[in-house]
Structure formats: structure tokens, C-alpha cells
Amino acid sequence: GQQVMQIPQYQHVQEGEDFTTYCNSSTTLSNIQWYKQRPGGHPVFLIQLVKSGEVKKQKRLTFQFGEAKKNSSLHITATQTTDVGTYFCAYNTDKLIFGTGTRLQVFP
Amino acid sequence: SAVISQKPSRDICQRGTSLTIQCQVDSQVTMMFWYRQQPGQSLTLIATANQGSEATYESGFVIDKFPISRPNLTFSTLTVSNMSPEDSSIYLCSVDLAGTNYGYTFGSGTRLTVV
């Protein structure tokens, strides 16, 4: 399957700052999922988006699916040290294909 | 969501040997998936394990190197054969409970170091 690119690869922020990771595909996706992997842990499902232009919120996290369904973003407002980890987007056909990931480091 | 028990959690192995990783799921699932995560990298799908048929391997992965068993709807094993240091990675199993909207559930992973 095609690879989905994420930017940035790494992001270091001060606690309280906002953070955004972007997920880009060259082709239209039927859905996008987001996962968080804490250091030393395994990926944990956060959310799934399926509709063009869809926006979903989970507390300080806002997820968006682009109008063309080729890109997605995850925005964290006022980061906390508990947000540290790698955030992956992924798309699901009959199998789950992961994006390249963005590693977030939060300094207190 | 499903609960997956994966073992071993970590191992250090000599090159040329083989390691078998086990995953047990607490519910019946049609497909189980095996991933590799090299240090600092994303997850790469190795193969899809279907009960009652041979596993389906992704490009770059072959059955001789990564034989998979799927004896029933709750269990699967992945063997890493004839290991070399390049096989040092985290290996994860995963399931997708279709229709639950809970995404894929992952085992806790096996951290393999080949020396």
C-alpha cells in the first residue's frame, strides 16, 4: 500500500504550547485513524474519521479530515507532559497501514 | 475492545537461532495482523494471519523467514527464523474488531535483540 507521510518528524514544545501534526496522502482515503504510542508502549487507538471535512474533538485534542480526504491533522491545545509520545495516522482497508509518525516531546 | 496477551515481552537471541512469539486474544477474530517496528520507525505490516488458510505476506516479507501459525480464532504465532542483528525490532500483533469503531487493538509487543 501507499505510504502516508507525516510532518513534522519531531516536535519539541514547552508545556502549555500547542502542537499540530499533519498527515498527507497522494490518493483519496476512505478513512483515517489516529494512534498514540507512549515511549516503550504499543499504539493505542484515539479516533477514526470517515467523512470529508469531518472534525472531532477529545478534550484538548482536535482531529480533522480534509475536504478531499487526502490529508488529516491532529492538534493538541496546551500540551502537557502526559502528551509525550509518537502520534501516528493510519488508514484502514482490509489492513491497517501506518503513517510515518510524529514524535512529540514536551518540556515542563 | 479486545484484550491481547503477547509473549515474550522481550528476548535477547543469538544470531542464527529462531524465536516464536505468541498472541492470545480474549475473543474470536477472523484476522490477526503482525507488525514490525524498527528502532525509531513506524509500524510495518508483515502479514495477515487468517484462520484455516495460509498467511498473506506483505512485500518484502516471506514465509521462510517469518512463518506464521493460526490454529484457531483466538491464537497466532510468528516465528523469526535464522535471526541476524538486522531483525532486532519490536514485533506486535494486532486485531481489528470490525464494526466496533474501536480501531485496531495491539499486543504489548516483543522487543527482540539479536546479538
Side-chain angles (χ1 to χ4, degrees):
Chain A
Q2 62 162 8
Q3 189 171 38
V4 177
M5 304 302 295
Q6 283 183 249
I7 54 171
Q9 188 175 7
Y10 303 100
Q11 183 88 57
H12 299 170
V13 300
Q14 201 76 32
E15 188 173 23
E17 293 181 338
D18 292 356
F19 160 76
T20 304
T21 172
Y22 300 90
C23 179
N24 297 294
S25 168
S26 58
T27 61
T28 302
L29 302 173
S30 60
N31 61 80
I32 200 85
Q33 299 183 6
W34 284 92
Y35 291 78
K36 177 182 179 181
Q37 185 176 27
R38 294 180 185 273
H42 58 276
V44 174
F45 174 73
L46 296 176
I47 211 158
Q48 176 171 271
L49 306 170
V50 297
K51 298 177 183 177
S52 171
E54 188 171 14
V55 178
K56 289 188 177 180
K57 293 189 176 183
Q58 290 179 349
K59 298 182 180 178
R60 295 178 294 104
L61 277 61
T62 301
F63 305 85
Q64 187 165 7
F65 203 6
E67 294 289 341
K69 301 181 74 174
K70 290 183 177 182
N71 53 70
S72 181
S73 64
L74 159 58
H75 179 82
I76 303 178
T77 303
T79 54
Q80 301 174 358
T81 54
T82 54
D83 295 325
V84 166
T86 302
Y87 293 85
F88 293 100
C89 63
Y91 68 94
N92 184 22
T93 54
D94 56 351
K95 53 195 175 185
L96 191 65
I97 305 300
F98 279 81
T100 50
T102 296
R103 185 179 303 173
L104 172 64
Q105 181 62 262
V106 180
F107 295 108
Chain B
S1 61
V3 175
I4 302 177
S5 173
Q6 182 174 346
K7 58 183 181 182
S9 59
R10 59 179 64 233
D11 208 340
I12 301 174
C13 300
Q14 295 290 324
R15 67 177 67 201
T17 63
S18 298
L19 175 71
T20 295
I21 302 167
Q22 300 180 3
C23 269
Q24 178 77 50
V25 189
D26 68 345
S27 56
Q28 294 185 340
V29 291
T30 303
M31 294 189 291
M32 293 180 70
F33 303 89
W34 287 97
Y35 287 85
R36 180 177 72 183
Q37 187 173 28
Q38 295 176 305
Q41 302 297 312
S42 182
L43 285 81
T44 301
L45 182 63
I46 297 172
T48 302
N50 304 298
Q51 197 272 332
S53 63
E54 281 198 3
T56 303
Y57 288 82
E58 298 297 306
S59 176
F61 298 97
V62 295
I63 188 171
D64 290 347
K65 177 67 175 177
F66 297 101
I68 287 172
S69 78
R70 186 80 203 275
N72 57 54
L73 291 173
T74 64
F75 186 79
S76 180
T77 68
L78 170 76
T79 299
V80 186
S81 302
N82 188 25
M83 289 184 286
S84 67
E86 292 71 37
D87 294 320
S88 298
S89 290
I90 299 172
Y91 294 85
L92 301 108
C93 60
S94 179
V95 299
D96 174 26
L97 296 180
T100 65
N101 200 34
Y102 290 123
Y104 280 53
T105 301
F106 286 81
S108 54
T110 297
R111 184 178 296 270
L112 170 62
T113 302
V114 184
V115 297

